[in-house]
Amino acid sequence: MLSDKYWDVIIKDSKCLSLRPLKNYDQIAKSCLPNNIRVASEYAFVIINGEFWMIDLEKAKSNMKSLLREVDNNSDSDDFIENWYEYHGNYFKSKKETYDHLIILLHKNPYMKCINKFIELSTSNDKSDQHDEDDKHEFTIEWHYEVSNDINDNCNKKVEIKVFKKNNGNSICKRTDYVVQMLEQSQDEDISSEIISDNNLILLTDMGLFVYYFNENSKSISLIYFYYMHPFNIELFLKPTLPLPNYDSFKHCDEWISSIKDHKESLLKYGTELLKFAIKEHNSGLINDIYKKCINYFKEDLGNNKMFLSIITTTMPLLNKYYPEYITRYSLATTMIVDSPFYVIEDKHINLHLYSFQHCLQMTDITQSIWWLDYRELMRNYETKNPFVETINRNIYKTWNGEVLIKFKLDNYGKYYYTIIWIGFIAFLGCFTAAATIPDIDDDVRNKLLTSSIVLGFIHLSFEGNIINHIINIIDVIAYVLPIYISIIWLQTKEMNIIPLLSFSCLFLDIKFLLFLRAFEYFGVYFAIIISVAKQIVSFLVVLFIIIISFAHAFYILLLPRSPFSLDERTNNNDPNNPWNIVPSYNLVFENGTVDTNPYIIQLPNGNTNMFINFKTSLFAMYKFLTGDSDALSNWTYVDDALLAIMIVLFSLLIVVYLMNLLIGLLNNAIEKDNNRVSFLIQKAEILAEIELFYLLPYQRRKENWFPEVMYYYANNDKTRKKIKEMMDNKEWDTNEFAELKQYLLKGLNVEYSTDE
């Protein structure tokens, strides 16, 4: 946190933008520090004591430089450094350390204009004026550079940078970087350089752009930017900001990876891209290093270093795909983190359990319980890629952080959009059902209802049709497409030959209406079980279906009639599979007890007499046998057909007895696995993901109150104790990370925990 003296020079030229400013700058208490900072290109906006202030960055930068010069020349500089504080755990402690990134984040890159101009001159045909600007500056050090082939490996280029004192030529330090070249890359280097200050050197080569920084205190050179590109594309470097390093930048230069990983500011700037690179390269060591550094930097300063956690959360879709164990690790480590120095643990009568808000100072009129912080970049919705949408992971929603995330989104916009969508569907359902069900409806009214069904159906389909990757989405699409198609045909033909499709349309519409109830916990837990269990056993059902097809094929070959026959005219032959020979018949019994050998009454056969005359009906016969109906096989005498009896025994033992009981066991295990709140929360997350992707407008996706960077929430003390004990019993209470904070929380809640457990 900034000292009073340092904060004074930043805020003194600022303006209060509140409608009724309560204080001038001189009236602000020196202990009041900004609650929130947002930086634009020319101004920074801060909130102090609930008022909105605008800071001119150029003036603030000038004031800071003047103050730092004064401190350097002042013998009391140690006292100034003593006033720098950081918040750690549940108390404040002094720390004699300054952070460059605190200053850098307050203003835009001051050298971008120089970089843009340098690149333009370096890539133009006329370079006569390239160094005119340099001659106006007096530098105290001298930069030397050399780009050559590596002696040990001709495929590598060696970039050697040296810094000398300009007055006596003494060497201060040097740095060597190695860049792996592409095979087709030219061996001749066209090199340009620009010294934009005593501390910065820009180097432009055929390999890309290098930016070096010389630290006068540590007497070392750092690579603070590298962009590998072949061939060179000037358009990337003419924008207000430098492009983020690409994949090849990390692939071709190991020193660049080390520079980012070992420097706090560079990790903050380029850590996300580096972590994505590590995941795609399956570099588990680098992934673990980045993860640990982000967590450690956050632990150093919970208030100011939350942005390091966004490096992890932004890459969660990739982690979820390749390294899901890191999501589990992160979720358990960051659950129940208390980062505010003003929180209290006390019992109140107001039910605020898992009630979320964006900043504690906005909730001064609401009774406190425990303030927890959910640092998830998953709250943020993006135009192209949305980590929340792309990361649906059970381990996230096992914790209260995930539950609060869902509750926050649902309360702010989800429930309103869901209600509107449901009302729109009810209108569509009502129009089509009325037109299809009411028999004596007027033709004009029916036509209007069908036309309304078409319009409403296309409106819904325009949203639902964007995504078909889930069984529910397939049902949704069918529920809209079939009624639209039937309504169009009905309006054109006025015929009722579409009754079979009409019945299916009403069936899918009713199912779709039922699926809307899955957002309510009372019904949703059962829908979660049904859907998740279906996903788990689908492969088993495919195997079962293939086996049934195999038996249907075998029975079809065995019981197919081999002689010509007709169901309309009696065919008399010796084929045992002829429907006329297996149909029930009745013989005449004479008074003397003898029986006429010729049938007296014969029941007419039909398509169900021998269901194995067609392969499709053979499949249906096997399904009936699976459900316990063996009538399709009862027309044959098993004593005379031993092979048929063997086939029936095999089917009953393998399918009916073994596989069906195995299916019941699998269903039982799947139900036990998904009969919990986590499955229901995942289901709600999927609903919210669809709303964010296909219903929210672009400006709504950028609303800070809907997608805040940081979200706090309350938790009931008794429920917190219960939750912590539950996590301890499940071995999920992670004390390796934030041990001090969690120990303080346990102490405040009077929960005993032994690390030996």
Side-chain angles (χ1 to χ4, degrees), residues 167-262:
N167 54 359
N168 56 20
N170 292 336
S171 175
I172 301 176
C173 59
K174 71 174 183 177
R175 175 189 176 93
T176 303
D177 297 315
Y178 296 92
V179 180
V180 180
Q181 286 187 297
M182 299 175 64
L183 294 178
E184 66 273 13
Q185 191 164 343
S186 171
Q187 297 296 318
D188 298 327
E189 290 290 341
D190 184 12
I191 306 171
S192 300
S193 66
E194 175 86 357
I195 302 174
I196 53 180
S197 72
D198 264 346
N199 303 94
N200 292 91
L201 169 70
I202 306 174
L203 198 63
L204 180 61
T205 72
D206 286 348
M207 297 176 292
L209 181 69
F210 298 79
V211 180
Y212 289 94
Y213 172 76
F214 171 65
N215 190 316
E216 297 180 3
N217 296 325
S218 62
K219 306 299 182 185
S220 62
I221 304 172
S222 302
L223 178 61
I224 62 173
Y225 183 80
F226 173 57
Y227 192 94
Y228 183 93
M229 184 169 50
H230 181 78
F232 189 80
N233 182 9
I234 188 176
E235 298 297 330
L236 290 174
F237 299 96
L238 297 181
K239 298 178 181 178
T241 58
L242 290 171
L244 289 174
N246 56 9
Y247 183 88
D248 289 334
S249 301
F250 306 117
K251 183 73 173 177
H252 292 271
C253 187
D254 292 337
E255 287 76 14
W256 176 225
I257 294 177
S258 300
S259 296
I260 296 175
K261 188 175 63 174
D262 298 334

Side-chain angles (χ1 to χ4, degrees), residues 483-507:
I484 292 173
Y485 172 75
I486 291 172
S487 298
I488 294 174
I489 298 299
W490 203 345
L491 287 173
Q492 290 179 343
T493 62
K494 306 293 183 180
E495 297 179 0
M496 293 299 295
N497 56 358
I498 54 174
I499 290 179
L501 288 177
L502 196 62
S503 63
F504 274 103
S505 298
C506 292
L507 173 64

Side-chain angles (χ1 to χ4, degrees), residues 111-131 190 192-194 202 204 209 232-240 242:
Y111 304 126
M112 272 311 300
K113 292 182 180 180
C114 298
I115 293 174
N116 292 340
K117 185 175 181 180
F118 161 67
I119 292 176
E120 285 182 347
L121 292 173
S122 300
T123 54
S124 65
N125 295 326
D126 183 12
K127 301 184 181 182
S128 57
D129 297 331
Q130 180 172 345
H131 297 288
D190 184 12
S192 300
S193 66
E194 175 86 357
I202 306 174
L204 180 61
L209 181 69
F232 189 80
N233 182 9
I234 188 176
E235 298 297 330
L236 290 174
F237 299 96
L238 297 181
K239 298 178 181 178
L242 290 171

Side-chain angles (χ1 to χ4, degrees), residues 278-279 281-290 323 325-326:
I279 296 171
E281 286 290 306
H282 302 284
N283 190 336
S284 57
L286 181 58
I287 295 172
N288 193 54
D289 289 344
I290 297 173
Y323 298 94
E325 64 272 15
Y326 277 95

